[in-house]
Amino acid sequence: MAAHIGRRLRKGAATTAVAAAAVAALSASQAPGATVDDQGRQSTGDATSAPDTAADDSATGNSPYYTDLPPLNSPNPSPSAGSGDAGDQRAGEAGIPATVLDAYKQAEATLREKKPGCNLPWQLLAAIGKVESGQARGGRVTADGTTVTPILGPQLDGNGFALIRDTDNGAYDGNRMYDQAVGPMQFIPSTWDWAGRDGNGDGRKDPNNIYDAALAAGHYLCRFDWDLSQQGDLRKAILSYNNSTDYLNTVLSWLEFYRRGTHEIPDGTGALPVDRSDDTARPGVTPSAPGTTPPARPGKPSGSRPSPSPAAPGNGGSPSTPPVTPPPATPPTPTDTVHHLEDAGTGTLTAMAGHTFAERVSTRAETEAGKAVAKVRIRFTLVGDTDTTFTGGETVATVTTDASGVAVAPALQAGERTGAFAVQAAVVGRSVKGVPYRATVTARAADALALAGEKEPTCVAGGEFAEPVQVKATYRGEAAGKVAVTATLVTSADDPAENDKGPYFKDADGKAVRSLTGLRTDADGQLTLPKLYADDTAGTFLLRLTTTGGATLDVKLTVEPAAAPSPDPDPSTDPAPSTDPSTEPSTDPSETPAA
């Protein structure tokens, strides 16, 4: 026991030094103006405090995490660097199991395409994966990335942890009373419900699969349009995963370590962490691994009957069993007091395809007496055949009610699919009647069309117009991109019927057509029509362009007569024959030449 305690004390001293050095290096290199206190905790002028979020609003529910820190030296020491145990430790800690490493890099590649402005480095996923589960327990995963055995955090029952009552009926964590963090990236079920992703293409979103979990973690860290190449946004993203300054510093230490170099190792051979954040407060307790039941905390019954006490003086040595005091009743949480939800004044939810909804869904949590309930998680879910999302690309968002009991959902971003859908508001962890909100996406529209260029199109009968017709569509003065346009050669300004003569377009088979549908403006609201041709009819014609939204433009087309061909010579207009005798053959016999 003495040796064990001594080892823990030496490790604690070493890791404290490592934390100070690693975080100091990171703050010096990435956060101008940052300072580091004597415990190695980084602080900056604008990012010292954690965001004001409830414990159960983080990805993990602020569950325990591994506090082991990386070696102080670089994972890629020079050949002249020290060797022995220190070198072995550096090499072991820098190694990431092959499947786990592949999952991190695939997630980075996907996010680079889906959310390029986030600048998510795979090393950040590796740092979080190290702190949350020791890289899926050293890479104990199957070929498809699923953990060999489930990785579960302790139940979040309010005893030393956040209090999060069951939200998934035990579907992910097997616990129907309280939630537990699940999988190699330690998502709580209510967060996985909206953040989960299919990272390995098997059609499932499994928090126990490292490919799915790594991709979900990447989306989670990028969900607020944060740019993780910026120190302030990086800190916010990490703190949103687990709202703890110590957690932030631990992740930053591993991030810096992995940025300096790492390498692939076989699955199942990764170094296993030892110390966990919920163990350090109880000296002498053997650290527990995720998925095991943590040791009982002081004041918390272990669930087993106490051992009989030693014989008390005067009782003849007979053992006596003291009465078991039942644990105090758990006080009701704000969620327990919610009786119903009410609309908090949400306006009409209508937006044009591709645009942001001006109104945001607002819901109020109330008791049976109608009093506001603060600090209650409200889940907003998009329901129906729609590609609309909340800002950040999610279809589910969870927001905590404020002091007035109101939760305001993130802004809705309309997709391209038009029609009606619903936003369903519900209380997380409580079965009370939700509030549905009807929303509608209308087709893209333009309220004005203008001809690009000053010259009206002109052509010769039987020819083709040299320049194509170009127009620009706008909506409220802004370019109207991807707006549907119909082009029709009409009979006249007063008669919208399709003309049967004059200019025409050609279809795919080269046949004349005088009406085109399915045309769309580009992202800048501009449209270039197909080439126009003219038949043999000269005159002035109208090309009418109309858009969704009512914009109309008549373009005048002029067809000039073809030039008259040169006429054939007319015999009646030939000059009279010459009467000059000298030019006429002689008919006088006397002038006939002699033979």
Side-chain angles (χ1 to χ4, degrees):
M1 177 62 73
H4 173 72
I5 294 176
R7 183 167 60 254
R8 289 289 296 275
L9 291 174
R10 289 194 300 274
K11 182 178 180 65
T15 54
T16 299
V18 171
V23 177
L26 185 65
S27 62
S29 63
Q30 295 190 11
T35 59
V36 179
D37 64 16
D38 59 353
Q39 298 300 316
R41 290 186 290 265
Q42 180 183 0
S43 62
T44 62
D46 62 352
T48 54
S49 60
D52 183 16
T53 57
D56 50 354
D57 283 333
S58 67
T60 68
N62 295 341
S63 294
Y65 57 91
Y66 286 111
T67 59
D68 298 47
L69 290 167
L72 183 60
N73 294 326
S74 168
N76 289 328
S78 62
S80 60
S83 59
D85 292 341
D88 292 342
Q89 184 188 14
R90 288 192 295 271
E93 295 292 1
I96 298 179
T99 299
V100 178
L101 179 60
D102 183 58
Y104 296 149
K105 291 185 176 181
Q106 281 199 29
E108 179 198 58
T110 299
L111 269 297
R112 190 186 303 122
E113 176 185 353
K114 299 294 184 182
K115 297 182 179 180
C118 180
N119 294 306
L120 171 77
W122 66 262
Q123 292 91 341
L124 176 58
L125 297 176
I128 291 176
K130 179 70 174 182
V131 170
E132 293 295 347
S133 68
Q135 310 298 18
R137 289 184 183 162
R140 293 186 62 221
V141 295
T142 60
D144 70 346
T146 302
T147 57
V148 175
T149 55
I151 301 176
L152 297 173
Q155 66 179 16
L156 301 174
D157 55 9
N159 289 292
F161 310 114
L163 174 58
I164 306 180
R165 301 191 188 280
D166 176 54
T167 62
D168 65 332
N169 198 29
Y172 294 119
D173 53 18
N175 189 335
R176 297 188 179 185
M177 293 186 64
Y178 302 98
D179 273 352
Q180 295 175 248
V182 182
M185 303 304 277
Q186 289 289 277
F187 280 96
I188 55 174
S190 59
T191 302
W192 182 261
D193 188 53
W194 63 265
R197 292 293 191 280
D198 177 14
N200 63 349
D202 63 357
R204 299 174 60 236
K205 299 176 183 178
D206 183 3
N208 296 297
N209 182 280
I210 185 59
Y211 287 99
D212 295 359
L215 184 57
H219 276 280
Y220 186 91
L221 295 166
C222 294
R223 70 196 185 284
F224 290 134
D225 293 329
W226 283 325
D227 179 357
L228 302 186
S229 66
Q230 301 297 316
Q231 183 69 5
D233 284 356
L234 175 65
R235 293 172 62 86
K236 292 175 185 176
I238 296 172
L239 285 168
S240 78
Y241 210 89
N242 191 314
N243 191 7
S244 160
T245 302
D246 289 337
Y247 179 88
L248 168 69
N249 290 335
T250 305
V251 170
L252 287 176
S253 298
W254 282 107
L255 171 60
E256 181 69 8
F257 181 76
Y258 286 137
R259 276 175 167 165
R260 292 176 181 175
T262 187
H263 57 274
E264 177 184 304
I265 60 174
D267 289 344
T269 64
L272 297 177
V274 175
D275 296 315
R276 228 170 55 160
S277 56
D278 60 330
D279 294 331
T280 54
R282 306 193 308 280
V285 177
T286 303
S288 58
T292 61
T293 302
R297 287 165 177 72
K300 177 186 177 185
S302 64
S304 60
R305 182 177 298 276
S307 301
S309 61
N315 66 358
S318 301
S320 62
T321 302
V324 178
T325 303
T330 303
T333 67
T335 300
D336 295 330
T337 66
V338 177
H339 179 266
H340 59 272
L341 296 179
E342 292 285 347
D343 178 19
T346 305
T348 303
L349 296 170
T350 301
M352 189 187 302
H355 289 64
T356 301
F357 282 70
E359 283 286 327
R360 294 168 66 177
V361 178
S362 182
T363 300
R364 174 181 162 97
E366 296 183 355
T367 64
E368 187 173 7
K371 293 184 178 180
V373 185
K375 297 183 180 180
V376 174
R377 291 181 300 151
I378 306 298
R379 179 184 295 132
F380 299 95
T381 305
L382 304 188
V383 181
D385 185 17
T386 182
D387 56 355
T388 295
T389 64
F390 292 110
T391 301
E394 307 295 345
T395 58
V396 179
T398 302
V399 180
T400 302
T401 57
D402 59 18
S404 61
V406 174
V408 180
L412 287 167
Q413 180 65 40
E416 296 300 324
R417 194 170 301 163
T418 60
F421 65 97
V423 182
Q424 183 72 36
V427 179
V428 176
R430 186 77 190 277
S431 296
V432 299
K433 185 177 180 180
V435 179
Y437 298 83
R438 180 183 173 85
T440 304
V441 176
T442 60
R444 289 178 180 265
D447 55 16
L449 279 171
L451 184 66
E454 299 178 356
K455 294 183 179 180
E456 293 180 344
T458 303
C459 177
V460 175
E464 59 185 51
F465 289 81
E467 297 295 332
V469 176
Q470 293 180 318
V471 296
K472 181 169 184 176
T474 55
Y475 182 78
R476 297 180 180 177
E478 300 292 333
K482 301 181 181 179
V483 174
V485 179
T486 298
T488 304
L489 289 147
V490 297
T491 302
S492 67
D494 299 324
D495 186 357
E498 184 180 306
N499 209 337
D500 59 357
K501 58 185 176 181
Y504 61 90
F505 301 104
K506 287 184 179 180
D507 63 13
D509 297 326
K511 296 180 180 180
V513 293
R514 290 186 168 87
S515 183
L516 293 178
T517 59
L519 303 172
R520 284 192 179 274
T521 61
D522 62 17
D524 297 323
Q526 299 195 14
L527 171 65
T528 299
L529 271 67
K531 183 182 287 292
L532 277 163
Y533 303 86
D535 61 14
D536 294 335
T537 307
T540 301
F541 303 88
L542 285 182
L543 171 63
R544 178 162 294 172
L545 303 174
T546 58
T547 72
T548 305
T552 302
L553 174 67
D554 285 344
V555 180
K556 186 169 73 173
L557 305 176
T558 301
V559 180
E560 298 176 345
S566 299
D568 293 333
D570 187 349
S572 64
T573 60
D574 287 347
S578 174
T579 56
D580 184 355
S582 63
T583 63
E584 292 296 321
S586 174
T587 57
D588 187 350
S590 63
E591 294 181 1
T592 301

